[in-house]
Amino acid sequence: MTDAATNMRLKLPIICFTLEIILIILFGAIVQYDHETDAKQWHSKNHSDYDNDFYYRYPSFQDVHVMIFIGFGFLMTFLQRYGFSSVGFNFLIAAFALQWATLMQGFFHGLHGGKIHIGVESMINADFCTGSVLISFGAVLGKTSPVQLLVMAMFEVTLFAVNEFILLSLLGTKDAGGSMTIHTFGAYFGLMVTRILYRPNLDKSKDKNSSVYHSDLFAMIGTIYLWMFWPSFNSAITAHGDDQHRTAMNTYYSLAACTLATYGMSALTAHDGKLDMVHIQNAALAGGVAAGTAGEMMLTPCGSMIVGFLAGIISVLGFKYLSTILEEKLKIQDTCGVHNLHGMPGVLGAIVGAVTAAVATADIYGEGMADVFPKVASGEVDASYQGGIQAISLAVTLGIALLGGLIVGFILKLPIFGAPPDTICFEDSIYWEVPGEEAPHDGQLTAVNTEETEKLSS
Amino acid sequence: MTDAATNMRLKLPIICFTLEIILIILFGAIVQYDHETDAKQWHSKNHSDYDNDFYYRYPSFQDVHVMIFIGFGFLMTFLQRYGFSSVGFNFLIAAFALQWATLMQGFFHGLHGGKIHIGVESMINADFCTGSVLISFGAVLGKTSPVQLLVMAMFEVTLFAVNEFILLSLLGTKDAGGSMTIHTFGAYFGLMVTRILYRPNLDKSKDKNSSVYHSDLFAMIGTIYLWMFWPSFNSAITAHGDDQHRTAMNTYYSLAACTLATYGMSALTAHDGKLDMVHIQNAALAGGVAAGTAGEMMLTPCGSMIVGFLAGIISVLGFKYLSTILEEKLKIQDTCGVHNLHGMPGVLGAIVGAVTAAVATADIYGEGMADVFPKVASGEVDASYQGGIQAISLAVTLGIALLGGLIVGFILKLPIFGAPPDTICFEDSIYWEVPGEEAPHDGQLTAVNTEETEKLSS
Amino acid sequence: MTDAATNMRLKLPIICFTLEIILIILFGAIVQYDHETDAKQWHSKNHSDYDNDFYYRYPSFQDVHVMIFIGFGFLMTFLQRYGFSSVGFNFLIAAFALQWATLMQGFFHGLHGGKIHIGVESMINADFCTGSVLISFGAVLGKTSPVQLLVMAMFEVTLFAVNEFILLSLLGTKDAGGSMTIHTFGAYFGLMVTRILYRPNLDKSKDKNSSVYHSDLFAMIGTIYLWMFWPSFNSAITAHGDDQHRTAMNTYYSLAACTLATYGMSALTAHDGKLDMVHIQNAALAGGVAAGTAGEMMLTPCGSMIVGFLAGIISVLGFKYLSTILEEKLKIQDTCGVHNLHGMPGVLGAIVGAVTAAVATADIYGEGMADVFPKVASGEVDASYQGGIQAISLAVTLGIALLGGLIVGFILKLPIFGAPPDTICFEDSIYWEVPGEEAPHDGQLTAVNTEETEKLSS
């Protein structure tokens, strides 16, 4: 790459160092250990060391962490020549976003006397916010530079925190697994960004916008990890006790039902009955997305399975029929199909959550109502009002996501950020030193290299 | 694929949707949250939220979950052209089996007033039962359609639950890690199924019944995850406290010793001293299988290591010498060698368990006897009687597995289920849309496709 | 391979069986369950089963276990033709080392009436010691036989236990995450071993001492798992409560900052601004290494980020400029660059730990001082003295590592251990049965095999 625009030699170091130094200064100024991580504060109270929330949140945190870095990272390695970027940019923007999210979320709902107090719960929340950015990354995958992605992450994290604050703190919405705050927000934000970044000549790179055999297997690592740990994701920050337990179990059954629906739909919609890896890799996860709001409620195992079953069907139909329409009619080039995996199932999850909230009764929840719907338990609002709040929250989320994506999309169009040319999208070699392909066993190295692709882009 | 028989366009959707709808109806009718997942019931009692069993079982559950979906799934990706099916069918039948197992196991030992109560322990048990089905899948790998596999799973889960009920509930057998209930049962059931499905002309596909370099590396992901988390598997449903702790540690040392035995035997049995990936991928795990029954007992670390050491030796010998004999003399085509990994080590584990139970004394177990051998502790039976029960349980398991496999094997022979022809076994493209191979770096796509294999099968 | 020297048919079985039988005998003679894993002892005291340390250490143990077997194993698969050996020898020597470490560490600081008592904490410590051996493995990767590696592991584990005993028991050093005991020790021990084993003609194998596209993706699995679980690693054996919680969080932020520094430096030091996978795979982890000593202290999140940021910069600079100098001037052939990932960041971590200890005050730590610096809390020493002890510990560690590596290096030169010839380093086929490469989709097997490489070495 001799193309000055996409050369990252100065651009990437400048943004990485600038952002990290700003983070370090802000952390130094306003971030402190909370009472569970501070040696003095923890020991100034009378409790057992085993009561520390570390033991009740950290295993969930680690599962979420795996979803963010392995799950999202490898899910996107399905492209034949974009594995380094998928895992590598996922790694970079996640490492930045979780630090920035600590500040933004702390600013909006963690301030104590002007200081942000942090512990395992803020770490989970930071990972959640990061997840939303990675969903948007899926929409623009292959068409953006790492500098663009860091800029997008900076703005998206900020808007995520604003939306989360409006929902959870101002409106009193329940959304433990983030059907709205994470999935709907991330998906529609990313879709709007990719709409603004529309490339009419993207078909010049279309030969690289597909998978090869092994890249699909790498992607399955991501899929399976997301699938397995989704019960931990949805339950990571619910109330302790029955709530965490129930949320994990609801999600487990929703995903299982979704998987059967996905396989059935994938065969049914293929002209020759053959399964499509795109569906398996993505739609089988829609059950986790759709259980993100109602998972902590008394959805029942059967109800969870119905939700997952519908989510799987919707998601496959989206991949099969809607994606083409979105691209051709609305000019939305959604590389990973986040609309089908996170967008529609997120909206479904929000609706299921609103309905489930609206029908909550003291007879079903008993004393447990205070954990799930504190305002309903205290008599401040009734259940149907809570349901209405949930529905309004979906509208708010969609509005902020679309408006935010619109603005951020235009910012990302600035040529200084080094976006790849249309001819060389979905291609690692523009931003990475790429080694040759497999050496055959006779010891003769395949001396194929990146020269031709470089010619194309120069 | 234009071959009507193996075309899954209608068959797979019909079975997926039918099974899932039946599951949803049955779950709606008879499955309820247990007292730890139900909001009202949990809060009607006086305890801390931290006492919820979620915190003491869920980390184990997640480790088991990883073994089921990543461990088994990737272990079977060793075949060069069967990675999609290995991971993908593993995913499908596991997602079905865990739902069906919830019902079957609940029916046999979880009914409360006509309702099945579920929580994290039933989730672990459902995953365990699923593991047994996946072992059988290993025996028939590459030679079955997804519809056959779902039908097999349905029957096998049912029979697993019957056998488990006889052992654990009627006989009072101890088998926390499932040397008998999971490994012996799954292996001999699968071996009998593959015997009934014997294909005399399978050598028409023999060029695909082997690994390539990268597929062996993918398989090692499965192996290592199974190896690492086996301590969690064996200890997942033992009694809390010392029992879980001891079981995990015994398994850890059994596996470590097994690994050294495996490497030694693999080099020793090769004509040129070179290690064989098949042994490393499989036999190194036999130590976990063999510690499945006695792991929770006072086997001692040294005893665990002896068991693992023997299991590794037996397993490599099986792969090296016995598999060929089984195929040539008994017409058992055991794709993954489950007889060597789960069959013989499972039987070894059952015998070790019987002996260890028979020599248990109050002097060794103290008050802990009540956790491990409740009937011995209460004086209902003596230790040698318990040992006898353990031995009988092995015979019962073998009987049900072989008889069940016989019947189910004949059911699976029905042509309607769409088994692949002999010429196109061990091949993804019969049931999957398969992309081309790696694109070389000069941007020119390798346009190899599945046409030839399609010709072969038509 | 007909070369007698590297033929493992007898050598490997002899060493595997001999070592394992010695281990079994020694375990039988002197290893016992501790009071948390022994049925009688646990039940002879009055406590809840939920108080068992299993529930407070085992999730951390499993994360560490994944780092040892998946993390280290796959990190080293970056070489194009050395994946079997990377994962496979990692597996073998780790399985041996954790057993031997149980004995050695138990001998030095776990004896109770002549017996070694073991439980989850000893399992974590054994895995830690194993990690040190795997770091040294990284330095000699591709140039050693499995027999050499087992011999190295045997000596290194012993010396590790001696060094650990001097630091933790005699000097009262704090080093929970092992910046000194694990990383500095393992790196400099391995560097000295590879110096002694210097091969002037190693460039005969240089065509294999590089990555290919997919091997870099496999390596990223290792990188990401190490990165995600490093917070568990550093906190696995700190005191319960705030200490574990704080250590995990400090490490999390150190790693995040390190990642941004790594990406910035990688682009900055490339002539064309392209990211180098070697940096991403390795340097991004330096933040975990550097937080290994001070992570449990009141380093503050901001302090952790500064440490990680510096570690990332140092590490990339090491890979870019120092490695060549080490090889050309000092004849140190460091295959994985462990000096850059574990050596320098380990020393940095030790220094940060010494400084952080020296400035500890009762005002900052409160009653929590007793957990972190028991001798300072009891008034036995003051904080600056503790800082001095930490600095001395670094010198002791370097001394033992270098002297130990020197001696062990000469032992490993014995021709009987079957080291590979210079022409066939970094090549699986010398010790493994290696299958052919990817079969193209037209069903025609690529019949490439290992004949040529065998010719080379004969």
Side-chain angles (χ1 to χ4, degrees):
Chain A
M1 273 316 304
T2 49
D3 186 338
T6 60
N7 189 316
M8 291 287 127
R9 179 142 193 202
L10 291 177
K11 289 172 185 173
L12 190 58
I14 287 170
I15 190 166
C16 284
F17 292 150
T18 307
L19 289 176
E20 191 57 49
I21 289 167
I22 291 171
L23 283 166
I24 287 174
I25 292 169
L26 289 175
F27 265 68
I30 55 169
V31 174
Q32 292 180 342
Y33 293 125
D34 69 6
H35 68 283
E36 310 221 43
T37 43
D38 185 274
K40 189 176 186 178
Q41 286 186 60
W42 176 255
H43 285 274
S44 68
K45 288 187 190 147
N46 187 23
H47 41 44
S48 161
D49 277 338
Y50 297 129
D51 292 340
N52 196 291
D53 209 29
F54 179 77
Y55 303 106
Y56 304 94
R57 296 269 184 225
Y58 188 72
S60 305
F61 161 72
Q62 273 298 1
D63 290 353
V64 172
H65 216 40
V66 171
M67 293 173 72
I68 297 298
F69 287 89
I70 287 284
F72 281 107
F74 277 88
L75 182 62
M76 295 189 272
T77 58
F78 71 98
L79 291 172
Q80 54 186 282
R81 297 295 308 158
Y82 209 63
F84 289 11
S85 305
S86 296
V87 176
F89 295 162
N90 188 84
F91 188 18
L92 171 63
I93 60 180
F96 163 67
L98 64 86
Q99 297 178 79
W100 185 239
T102 305
L103 289 174
M104 287 299 108
Q105 295 178 312
F107 180 75
F108 281 111
H109 48 80
L111 280 181
H112 303 263
K115 301 285 183 179
I116 294 167
H117 289 191
I118 60 173
V120 67
E121 203 164 328
S122 69
M123 287 159 68
I124 295 171
N125 278 317
D127 268 35
F128 274 6
C129 177
T130 300
S132 195
V133 176
L134 299 178
I135 291 166
S136 305
F137 176 36
V140 299
L141 189 78
K143 302 168 295 187
T144 39
S145 75
V147 174
Q148 281 180 301
L149 293 170
L150 285 169
V151 172
M152 183 182 86
M154 187 176 62
F155 286 108
E156 185 171 358
V157 164
T158 311
L159 290 165
F160 176 98
V162 170
N163 184 55
E164 189 186 44
F165 173 72
I166 294 171
L167 266 59
L168 307 193
S169 301
L170 297 188
L171 296 177
T173 313
K174 298 296 291 188
D175 194 19
S179 287
M180 290 178 279
T181 55
I182 301 168
H183 299 288
T184 304
F185 182 85
Y188 288 96
F189 183 95
L191 290 167
M192 185 54 97
V193 168
T194 200
R195 171 66 191 81
I196 305 300
L197 299 180
Y198 177 67
R199 289 166 180 265
N201 298 316
L202 189 60
D203 58 359
K204 288 183 184 171
S205 291
K206 80 174 168 191
D207 59 328
K208 288 178 292 247
N209 187 7
S210 61
S211 67
V212 286
Y213 193 70
H214 275 114
S215 68
D216 269 328
L217 272 181
F218 277 113
M220 281 302 284
I221 297 175
T223 299
I224 300 284
Y225 269 102
L226 288 169
W227 196 91
M228 293 187 302
F229 288 165
W230 218 297
S232 304
F233 189 94
N234 284 349
S235 66
I237 52 160
T238 61
H240 285 306
D242 62 299
D243 306 83
Q244 258 190 299
H245 200 157
R246 181 173 60 247
T247 311
M249 196 165 71
N250 284 340
T251 309
Y252 171 83
Y253 284 110
S254 176
L255 285 161
C258 180
T259 302
L260 265 80
T262 298
Y263 276 81
M265 287 302 292
S266 185
L268 188 63
T269 58
H271 74 284
D272 53 3
K274 289 190 186 180
L275 294 163
D276 187 333
M277 261 291 167
V278 171
H279 305 157
I280 309 306
Q281 284 159 2
N282 293 280
L285 299 168
V289 175
T293 303
E296 67 176 319
M297 305 174 190
M298 289 290 286
L299 184 57
T300 78
C302 169
S304 306
M305 288 157 73
I306 293 171
V307 170
F309 191 66
L310 294 176
I313 292 172
I314 290 171
S315 189
V316 173
L317 290 174
F319 277 103
K320 192 74 192 181
Y321 304 108
L322 200 56
S323 289
T324 321
I325 297 172
L326 286 186
E327 176 154 2
E328 290 177 1
K329 306 288 178 193
L330 300 181
K331 300 186 177 175
I332 295 173
Q333 293 159 327
D334 177 8
T335 311
C336 290
V338 301
H339 186 245
N340 311 305
L341 169 49
H342 301 278
M344 292 189 296
V347 172
L348 173 65
I351 295 167
V352 170
V355 173
T356 313
V359 300
T361 64
D363 188 48
I364 294 170
Y365 288 81
E367 300 293 315
M369 183 70 94
D371 280 353
V372 186
F373 301 113
K375 286 190 177 174
V376 178
S378 69
E380 198 180 328
V381 304
D382 66 6
S384 61
Y385 185 91
Q386 178 74 35
I389 289 292
Q390 300 287 134
I392 288 166
S393 299
L394 174 60
V396 170
T397 300
L398 285 168
I400 295 178
L402 291 172
L403 187 63
L406 183 78
I407 297 165
V408 175
F410 279 108
I411 294 171
L412 296 183
K413 289 189 97 159
L414 294 178
I416 195 172
F417 295 140
D422 289 346
T423 49
I424 194 162
C425 287
F426 314 115
E427 171 61 53
D428 278 334
S429 64
I430 189 166
Y431 301 120
W432 295 84
E433 293 289 346
V434 178
E437 270 301 335
E438 308 310 324
H441 278 223
D442 55 3
Q444 183 201 341
L445 265 171
T446 331
V448 290
N449 58 27
T450 57
E451 273 173 31
E452 283 209 27
T453 45
E454 291 186 7
K455 272 185 217 151
L456 281 170
S457 66
S458 60
Chain B
M1 275 315 305
T2 51
D3 186 338
T6 60
N7 189 316
M8 292 288 126
R9 180 143 194 200
L10 290 178
K11 289 173 184 174
L12 190 59
I14 287 171
I15 190 166
C16 285
F17 292 150
T18 307
L19 289 176
E20 191 57 49
I21 289 166
I22 291 172
L23 282 167
I24 288 172
I25 292 168
L26 289 174
F27 265 68
I30 56 169
V31 175
Q32 292 180 342
Y33 293 124
D34 71 6
H35 68 282
E36 310 220 45
T37 43
D38 186 273
K40 189 178 186 179
Q41 286 187 60
W42 175 255
H43 286 273
S44 69
K45 289 190 188 142
N46 186 24
H47 41 43
S48 160
D49 277 337
Y50 296 129
D51 293 339
N52 196 292
D53 208 29
F54 179 77
Y55 303 107
Y56 303 95
R57 296 271 184 223
Y58 188 73
S60 304
F61 161 72
Q62 273 298 1
D63 290 352
V64 172
H65 216 40
V66 171
M67 293 174 72
I68 296 299
F69 287 89
I70 287 283
F72 281 106
F74 277 88
L75 182 62
M76 294 189 273
T77 58
F78 72 98
L79 291 171
Q80 56 187 280
R81 296 295 308 158
Y82 209 63
F84 289 12
S85 304
S86 296
V87 176
F89 294 163
N90 187 85
F91 188 19
L92 172 64
I93 60 179
F96 164 67
L98 63 87
Q99 297 177 77
W100 186 239
T102 304
L103 289 174
M104 287 298 109
Q105 295 179 312
F107 180 74
F108 280 110
H109 48 80
L111 281 180
H112 302 262
K115 301 286 183 181
I116 293 168
H117 288 190
I118 60 174
V120 68
E121 204 166 328
S122 70
M123 287 159 70
I124 295 171
N125 278 315
D127 267 36
F128 274 6
C129 177
T130 299
S132 197
V133 176
L134 299 178
I135 292 166
S136 304
F137 175 37
V140 299
L141 189 79
K143 302 167 297 187
T144 39
S145 76
V147 174
Q148 281 180 301
L149 293 170
L150 285 169
V151 172
M152 183 182 84
M154 187 175 63
F155 286 108
E156 185 172 356
V157 164
T158 312
L159 289 165
F160 176 98
V162 170
N163 184 55
E164 190 186 42
F165 174 70
I166 294 172
L167 266 58
L168 307 192
S169 301
L170 297 188
L171 296 176
T173 313
K174 298 296 291 189
D175 194 20
S179 287
M180 290 177 277
T181 54
I182 301 168
H183 299 287
T184 305
F185 183 85
Y188 288 96
F189 183 96
L191 291 168
M192 186 55 97
V193 168
T194 199
R195 171 66 191 84
I196 304 300
L197 299 180
Y198 178 67
R199 290 166 179 265
N201 299 315
L202 189 59
D203 57 359
K204 288 183 183 169
S205 291
K206 78 173 170 189
D207 59 328
K208 288 179 292 248
N209 187 8
S210 60
S211 66
V212 287
Y213 193 71
H214 275 113
S215 69
D216 269 328
L217 273 181
F218 277 113
M220 280 302 285
I221 298 175
T223 298
I224 300 285
Y225 269 103
L226 288 169
W227 195 93
M228 293 186 303
F229 288 165
W230 219 296
S232 304
F233 189 94
N234 284 348
S235 66
I237 52 160
T238 61
H240 286 306
D242 62 300
D243 305 83
Q244 259 189 299
H245 200 159
R246 182 174 57 248
T247 311
M249 196 166 69
N250 284 339
T251 309
Y252 171 82
Y253 285 110
S254 177
L255 285 161
C258 180
T259 301
L260 264 80
T262 299
Y263 276 81
M265 287 303 291
S266 185
L268 187 65
T269 58
H271 74 284
D272 53 3
K274 289 189 185 180
L275 295 163
D276 187 335
M277 260 291 169
V278 172
H279 304 157
I280 308 308
Q281 283 160 3
N282 292 279
L285 300 168
V289 175
T293 303
E296 68 176 316
M297 305 175 190
M298 289 290 286
L299 184 57
T300 77
C302 169
S304 306
M305 288 157 73
I306 294 171
V307 170
F309 192 65
L310 293 176
I313 292 173
I314 290 171
S315 189
V316 173
L317 290 175
F319 277 104
K320 191 76 191 179
Y321 304 109
L322 200 55
S323 289
T324 321
I325 296 173
L326 286 185
E327 176 153 2
E328 290 177 1
K329 306 288 178 192
L330 300 181
K331 299 185 177 175
I332 296 172
Q333 293 160 327
D334 177 8
T335 311
C336 291
V338 301
H339 187 246
N340 311 306
L341 169 49
H342 301 278
M344 292 189 295
V347 171
L348 173 65
I351 294 169
V352 170
V355 173
T356 312
V359 300
T361 65
D363 188 49
I364 295 170
Y365 288 81
E367 300 293 315
M369 183 70 92
D371 281 354
V372 186
F373 301 113
K375 286 190 177 175
V376 178
S378 69
E380 198 180 327
V381 304
D382 65 7
S384 60
Y385 186 90
Q386 179 74 33
I389 289 292
Q390 300 285 135
I392 288 167
S393 299
L394 174 60
V396 170
T397 300
L398 285 169
I400 294 177
L402 291 171
L403 187 62
L406 184 76
I407 297 165
V408 174
F410 278 108
I411 294 171
L412 297 183
K413 289 191 99 159
L414 294 177
I416 196 171
F417 296 141
D422 290 345
T423 48
I424 195 162
C425 287
F426 314 115
E427 171 61 55
D428 277 335
S429 64
I430 189 166
Y431 301 119
W432 295 85
E433 293 290 346
V434 177
E437 271 301 335
E438 309 310 324
H441 278 221
D442 56 0
Q444 181 200 341
L445 266 172
T446 330
V448 288
N449 58 26
T450 57
E451 272 174 32
E452 283 208 27
T453 44
E454 290 186 7
K455 271 183 219 154
L456 281 171
S457 65
S458 61
Chain C
M1 275 316 303
T2 49
D3 187 336
T6 59
N7 189 316
M8 291 287 125
R9 181 144 193 201
L10 290 177
K11 289 172 184 172
L12 190 59
I14 288 171
I15 191 166
C16 284
F17 293 150
T18 307
L19 289 175
E20 191 58 48
I21 289 167
I22 291 171
L23 282 167
I24 289 174
I25 292 169
L26 289 174
F27 266 69
I30 56 169
V31 175
Q32 293 180 340
Y33 293 125
D34 70 6
H35 68 282
E36 310 220 44
T37 43
D38 186 274
K40 189 177 185 179
Q41 286 187 60
W42 175 256
H43 285 273
S44 68
K45 289 190 188 140
N46 187 23
H47 42 43
S48 160
D49 277 338
Y50 297 128
D51 293 339
N52 196 291
D53 209 29
F54 179 78
Y55 302 106
Y56 303 95
R57 296 269 183 225
Y58 188 73
S60 304
F61 162 72
Q62 273 299 1
D63 290 353
V64 171
H65 216 40
V66 171
M67 293 174 72
I68 296 298
F69 288 88
I70 287 284
F72 281 106
F74 277 88
L75 182 61
M76 295 189 271
T77 58
F78 71 97
L79 291 172
Q80 55 187 279
R81 297 294 309 157
Y82 209 64
F84 289 11
S85 304
S86 296
V87 175
F89 294 161
N90 187 85
F91 189 17
L92 172 63
I93 59 180
F96 164 67
L98 63 86
Q99 297 177 78
W100 186 239
T102 305
L103 289 174
M104 289 297 108
Q105 294 178 313
F107 181 74
F108 281 111
H109 48 80
L111 280 181
H112 301 263
K115 300 286 183 179
I116 293 167
H117 288 190
I118 59 174
V120 68
E121 204 165 326
S122 70
M123 287 160 69
I124 295 171
N125 278 317
D127 268 36
F128 275 7
C129 177
T130 300
S132 196
V133 176
L134 299 177
I135 291 166
S136 303
F137 176 37
V140 299
L141 189 78
K143 303 168 297 187
T144 38
S145 76
V147 174
Q148 281 180 302
L149 293 170
L150 286 169
V151 172
M152 183 183 85
M154 188 177 62
F155 285 108
E156 185 171 356
V157 164
T158 311
L159 290 165
F160 176 98
V162 170
N163 184 56
E164 190 186 42
F165 174 71
I166 294 172
L167 265 60
L168 308 192
S169 301
L170 297 188
L171 297 176
T173 313
K174 297 298 289 189
D175 194 20
S179 287
M180 290 177 277
T181 55
I182 301 167
H183 299 288
T184 304
F185 182 85
Y188 287 96
F189 182 95
L191 290 168
M192 185 54 96
V193 168
T194 200
R195 171 64 190 82
I196 304 301
L197 299 181
Y198 178 66
R199 289 167 180 265
N201 299 315
L202 189 60
D203 58 359
K204 288 183 183 170
S205 291
K206 78 174 171 191
D207 59 328
K208 287 179 292 249
N209 187 7
S210 61
S211 66
V212 287
Y213 192 70
H214 275 112
S215 69
D216 269 329
L217 272 182
F218 277 112
M220 280 303 285
I221 297 175
T223 298
I224 300 284
Y225 269 103
L226 288 169
W227 195 92
M228 293 186 302
F229 288 165
W230 218 296
S232 304
F233 189 94
N234 284 348
S235 66
I237 53 159
T238 61
H240 286 305
D242 62 299
D243 305 82
Q244 259 190 299
H245 199 158
R246 182 173 60 246
T247 312
M249 195 165 71
N250 285 339
T251 309
Y252 171 83
Y253 284 110
S254 176
L255 285 161
C258 181
T259 302
L260 265 81
T262 298
Y263 276 82
M265 287 302 292
S266 186
L268 187 64
T269 58
H271 74 283
D272 54 2
K274 288 188 185 180
L275 295 163
D276 187 333
M277 260 291 167
V278 172
H279 304 156
I280 308 308
Q281 284 160 2
N282 292 279
L285 299 168
V289 176
T293 303
E296 67 176 319
M297 304 175 191
M298 290 289 287
L299 184 58
T300 77
C302 168
S304 306
M305 288 157 73
I306 294 171
V307 170
F309 191 65
L310 293 176
I313 291 172
I314 290 170
S315 190
V316 173
L317 290 175
F319 276 103
K320 191 76 192 179
Y321 304 108
L322 200 57
S323 289
T324 322
I325 296 173
L326 285 186
E327 177 155 1
E328 290 178 2
K329 306 287 178 194
L330 300 180
K331 300 186 177 174
I332 295 172
Q333 293 159 327
D334 177 8
T335 312
C336 291
V338 301
H339 186 246
N340 311 307
L341 170 48
H342 301 278
M344 292 189 296
V347 171
L348 173 65
I351 294 168
V352 170
V355 172
T356 313
V359 300
T361 64
D363 189 49
I364 295 169
Y365 288 82
E367 300 293 314
M369 182 71 93
D371 281 353
V372 186
F373 301 113
K375 286 191 178 174
V376 178
S378 68
E380 197 181 327
V381 304
D382 66 7
S384 61
Y385 185 90
Q386 179 73 34
I389 289 293
Q390 300 286 134
I392 288 167
S393 299
L394 174 60
V396 170
T397 301
L398 285 168
I400 294 178
L402 291 172
L403 187 62
L406 183 76
I407 297 165
V408 174
F410 279 108
I411 294 170
L412 297 183
K413 289 191 98 160
L414 293 179
I416 196 171
F417 296 140
D422 290 346
T423 48
I424 194 162
C425 287
F426 314 114
E427 171 61 54
D428 278 335
S429 64
I430 189 165
Y431 302 119
W432 295 83
E433 293 289 346
V434 178
E437 270 303 335
E438 310 309 324
H441 278 224
D442 55 4
Q444 182 201 339
L445 265 172
T446 331
V448 289
N449 57 27
T450 58
E451 272 173 33
E452 283 209 27
T453 44
E454 290 186 8
K455 272 184 219 153
L456 282 170
S457 66
S458 60

